[in-house]
């Protein structure tokens, strides 16, 4: 029995010895985990500032323009009408054809008016003969009165006959000219070089019965007008610049005008100012202006909506930034600028015209400012960033 107790005691001792290392390991792991947790909390490092690309504004010489939207108009446009009554005898052109000045386009029953002209010419010849006879009789009566062979009353009668003959001849000459004019109206000719529209009447149709009948329209396309409006502020700017440069009203008419269609890049069509209204339209606050452009290939057609710009000034050291760097809110346009502490600032700016991919900044920027040009979503005003300097190359201006 004693031996048995000893055995049990020995077994318990072994169990204790077996448990002790396991407890020790558990305690070590627990303290180690707690220690590691304490180390991680004490060594936390905040993320680095976001990287953004910055660049100083581009400085270069620019030409300042007045920009507007206008429309083209023909320099000449005339409705061709029948000015005499008759049946349309022939149409002598193809619809939409280009014709030269003086080309016969329509013929209106000329025979009747030719006969009337010949009749008037014959009457004129008869009036000339009557006048010649009356003058001879007047001279004869004058000689007889001087010889006291006839009375003065006879001379007065001869004088009256001569004067009536002169009046009759003048009337006959007028009738001849009228007949010639009407005969000329039977041929409707092109008054200038241009394109003729489709004919509005058919051969054999009676025209000019109660009023002039429109036959077609002829339009001159070379050169061509472009009409546009300039707002009051731009008018004042141009007048002030003209005053500084000593330019007269005639000098302003020599300013170039550049035009581009809606589907074209830049302003490939060149011309010059032709007219400016003497007064502003009070309802719109704008001044009506017109330019004239050569159009030999007839690329510009009347009625086109076009982009117009007029160069009026040059600036040597303008500041420009990429157009994509500009933002806008309710107060206007702005750019994001990184200051000396690498903190982002929102800077209000006044923008000008676009030059290629760049936009002119009229005010709000300095030449040494660092403008955020890429990574705009990571640039938050009031927070630090890691600016990566990038030199902007001047984009080519629109032609």
């Amino acid at each position: 029995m004693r031996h048995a107790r000893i055995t049990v005691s020995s077994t318990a001792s072994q169990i204790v010895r077996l448990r002790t290392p396991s407890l020790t390991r558990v305690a070590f792991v627990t303290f180690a985990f707690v220690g590691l947790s304490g180390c991680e909390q004490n060594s936390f490092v905040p993320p680095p500032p976001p990287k953004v690309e910055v660049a100083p504004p581009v400085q270069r010489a620019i030409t300042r323009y007045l920009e507007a939207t206008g429309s083209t108009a023909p320099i000449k446009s005339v409705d061709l009408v029948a000015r005499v009554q008759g049946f349309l005898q022939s149409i002598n052109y193809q619809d939409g054809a280009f014709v030269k000045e003086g080309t016969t386009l329509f013929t209106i029953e000329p025979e009747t008016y030719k006969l009337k002209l010949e009749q008037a010419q014959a009457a004129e010849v008869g009036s000339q003969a009557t006048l010649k006879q009356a003058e001879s009789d007047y001279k004869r009566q004058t000689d007889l009165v001087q010889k006291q062979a006839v009375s003065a009353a006879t001379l007065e009668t001869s004088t009256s006959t001569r004067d009536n003959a002169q009046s009759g001849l003048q009337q006959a000459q007028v009738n001849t000219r009228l007949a010639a004019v009407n005969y000329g109206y039977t041929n409707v000719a092109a008054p200038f070089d241009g394109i003729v529209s489709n004919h509005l009447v058919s051969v054999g149709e009676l025209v000019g019965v109660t009023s002039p009948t429109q036959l077609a329209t002829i339009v001159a396309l070379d050169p061509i007008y472009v009409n546009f409006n300039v707002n009051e502020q731009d008018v004042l700017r141009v007048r002030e610049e003209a005053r500084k440069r000593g330019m007269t009203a005639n000098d302003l008419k020599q300013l170039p005008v550049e035009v581009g269609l809606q589907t074209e890049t830049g302003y490939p069509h060149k011309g010059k100012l032709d007219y400016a209204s003497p007064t502003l339209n009070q309802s719109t606050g704008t001044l009506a202006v017109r330019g004239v452009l050569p159009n030999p290939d007839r690329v510009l057609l009347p009625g086109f909506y076009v982009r117009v710009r007029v160069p009026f000034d040059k600036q040597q050291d303008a500041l420009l930034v990429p157009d994509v760097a500009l933002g806008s809110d309710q107060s206007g346009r702005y750019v994001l600028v990184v200051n000396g502490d690498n903190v982002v600032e929102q800077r209000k700016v006044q923008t000008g015209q676009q030059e290629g991919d760049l936009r002119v900044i009229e005010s709000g920027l300095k030449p040494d400012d660092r403008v955020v040009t890429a990574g705009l979503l990571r640039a938050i005003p009031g927070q630090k960033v890691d600016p990566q300097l990038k030199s902007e190359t001047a984009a080519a201006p629109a032609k």
Side-chain angles (χ1 to χ4, degrees), residues 41-63:
Q41 291 178 354
N42 294 333
S43 62
F44 173 75
V45 178
K51 292 184 178 182
V52 296
E53 289 186 1
V54 298
V58 175
Q59 285 186 279
R60 73 173 185 205
I62 64 167
T63 300

Side-chain angles (χ1 to χ4, degrees), residues 60 62-63 65 67 258 264-268 270 307 309 320 353-358 394-399:
R60 73 173 185 205
I62 64 167
T63 300
Y65 297 94
E67 296 183 350
E258 302 175 2
E264 293 177 329
T265 301
Y267 300 81
K270 314 293 183 182
R307 296 172 290 108
R309 70 178 186 180
L320 303 93
Q353 66 197 34
Q354 188 166 352
E355 296 277 325
D357 296 332
L358 302 179
K399 299 295 184 185

Side-chain angles (χ1 to χ4, degrees), residues 26-181:
V26 171
F28 176 77
V29 171
T30 300
F31 286 119
F33 177 76
V34 174
L36 289 175
S37 299
C39 291
E40 289 180 359
Q41 291 178 354
N42 294 333
S43 62
F44 173 75
V45 178
K51 292 184 178 182
V52 296
E53 289 186 1
V54 298
V58 175
Q59 285 186 279
R60 73 173 185 205
I62 64 167
T63 300
R64 294 191 177 277
Y65 297 94
L66 294 180
E67 296 183 350
T69 299
S71 61
T72 54
I75 196 169
K76 297 178 185 177
S77 179
V78 172
D79 292 334
L80 302 171
V81 298
R83 301 179 66 177
V84 292
Q85 180 179 335
F87 292 97
L88 188 64
Q89 181 171 303
S90 64
I91 299 174
N92 308 311
Y93 76 99
Q94 293 293 326
D95 290 353
F98 176 80
V99 298
K100 301 292 289 184
E101 180 180 353
T103 302
T104 299
L105 305 176
F106 298 91
T107 302
I108 303 171
E109 196 178 6
E111 187 63 27
T112 300
Y113 294 94
K114 182 180 179 181
L115 293 174
K116 289 182 178 180
L117 174 59
E118 292 175 351
Q119 183 182 33
Q121 289 172 339
E124 182 180 351
V125 171
S127 296
Q128 288 174 345
T130 300
L131 176 61
K132 184 177 181 180
Q133 181 181 1
E135 287 179 342
S136 297
D137 182 68
Y138 170 76
K139 290 180 180 179
R140 184 170 58 255
Q141 296 299 328
T142 301
D143 292 340
L144 292 175
V145 167
Q146 290 176 351
K147 295 178 182 179
Q148 296 181 349
V150 297
S151 64
T154 304
L155 178 60
E156 291 175 356
T157 302
S158 178
T159 303
S160 177
T161 302
R162 184 203 62 180
D163 292 343
N164 287 333
Q166 288 179 339
S167 176
L169 177 59
Q170 291 177 351
Q171 182 65 43
Q173 291 173 338
V174 170
N175 291 337
T176 300
R177 288 198 295 270
L178 287 174
V181 169

Side-chain angles (χ1 to χ4, degrees), residues 67-395:
E67 296 183 350
T69 299
S71 61
T72 54
I75 196 169
K76 297 178 185 177
S77 179
V78 172
D79 292 334
L80 302 171
V81 298
R83 301 179 66 177
V84 292
Q85 180 179 335
F87 292 97
L88 188 64
Q89 181 171 303
S90 64
I91 299 174
N92 308 311
Y93 76 99
Q94 293 293 326
D95 290 353
F98 176 80
V99 298
K100 301 292 289 184
E101 180 180 353
T103 302
T104 299
L105 305 176
F106 298 91
T107 302
I108 303 171
E109 196 178 6
E111 187 63 27
T112 300
Y113 294 94
K114 182 180 179 181
L115 293 174
K116 289 182 178 180
L117 174 59
E118 292 175 351
Q119 183 182 33
Q121 289 172 339
E124 182 180 351
V125 171
S127 296
Q128 288 174 345
T130 300
L131 176 61
K132 184 177 181 180
Q133 181 181 1
E135 287 179 342
S136 297
D137 182 68
Y138 170 76
K139 290 180 180 179
R140 184 170 58 255
Q141 296 299 328
T142 301
D143 292 340
L144 292 175
V145 167
Q146 290 176 351
K147 295 178 182 179
Q148 296 181 349
V150 297
S151 64
T154 304
L155 178 60
E156 291 175 356
T157 302
S158 178
T159 303
S160 177
T161 302
R162 184 203 62 180
D163 292 343
N164 287 333
Q166 288 179 339
S167 176
L169 177 59
Q170 291 177 351
Q171 182 65 43
Q173 291 173 338
V174 170
N175 291 337
T176 300
R177 288 198 295 270
L178 287 174
V181 169
N182 288 329
Y183 178 58
Y185 287 157
T186 61
N187 289 323
V188 181
F192 48 79
D193 295 353
I195 294 178
V196 189
S197 69
N198 61 306
H199 58 275
L200 304 178
V201 293
S202 301
V203 172
E205 188 173 346
L206 182 62
V207 297
V209 179
T210 57
S211 62
T213 303
Q214 184 175 351
L215 307 175
T217 301
I218 183 171
V219 180
L221 299 181
D222 181 27
I224 193 168
Y225 285 140
V226 56
N227 297 307
F228 58 98
N229 294 316
V230 179
N231 64 55
E232 185 176 352
Q233 291 183 350
D234 287 338
V235 171
L236 294 175
R237 289 167 54 198
V238 172
R239 289 173 64 89
E240 178 63 20
E241 183 63 26
R243 185 189 64 80
K244 292 179 180 178
R245 295 163 60 179
M247 298 176 65
T248 64
N250 289 331
D251 295 331
L252 289 176
K253 287 186 177 181
Q254 301 303 316
L255 286 177
V257 175
E258 302 175 2
V259 171
L261 296 173
Q262 301 299 322
T263 56
E264 293 177 329
T265 301
Y267 300 81
H269 309 284
K270 314 293 183 182
K272 64 178 182 179
L273 283 182
D274 175 67
Y275 167 79
S277 173
T279 60
L280 266 73
N281 186 329
Q282 292 185 348
S283 61
T284 61
T286 59
L287 184 75
V289 183
R290 185 180 70 196
V292 59
L293 294 82
N295 190 33
D297 298 328
R298 297 190 285 277
V299 175
L300 300 174
L301 298 179
F304 276 169
Y305 285 98
V306 294
R307 296 172 290 108
V308 185
R309 70 178 186 180
V310 180
F312 71 94
D313 188 22
K314 292 183 179 293
Q315 183 177 350
Q316 295 300 320
D317 296 321
L319 299 181
L320 303 93
V321 300
D323 198 44
V324 295
L326 286 161
S328 61
D329 56 19
Q330 293 181 349
S331 61
R333 306 300 298 273
Y334 65 85
V335 294
L336 298 178
V337 177
V338 178
N339 63 18
D341 297 327
N342 291 341
V343 175
V344 178
E345 296 179 354
Q346 181 173 303
R347 188 78 59 80
K348 299 296 180 182
V349 294
Q350 294 292 329
T351 59
Q353 66 197 34
Q354 188 166 352
E355 296 277 325
D357 296 332
L358 302 179
R359 176 73 66 174
V360 176
I361 303 299
E362 302 289 356
S363 63
L365 275 184
K366 298 188 294 294
D368 57 349
D369 281 332
R370 295 183 296 173
V371 180
V372 178
T373 59
L376 295 170
L377 295 179
R378 297 190 296 271
I380 301 175
Q383 295 189 6
K384 277 196 172 187
V385 292
D386 182 10
Q388 306 295 310
L389 185 62
K390 178 185 178 182
S391 296
E392 286 291 340
T393 57

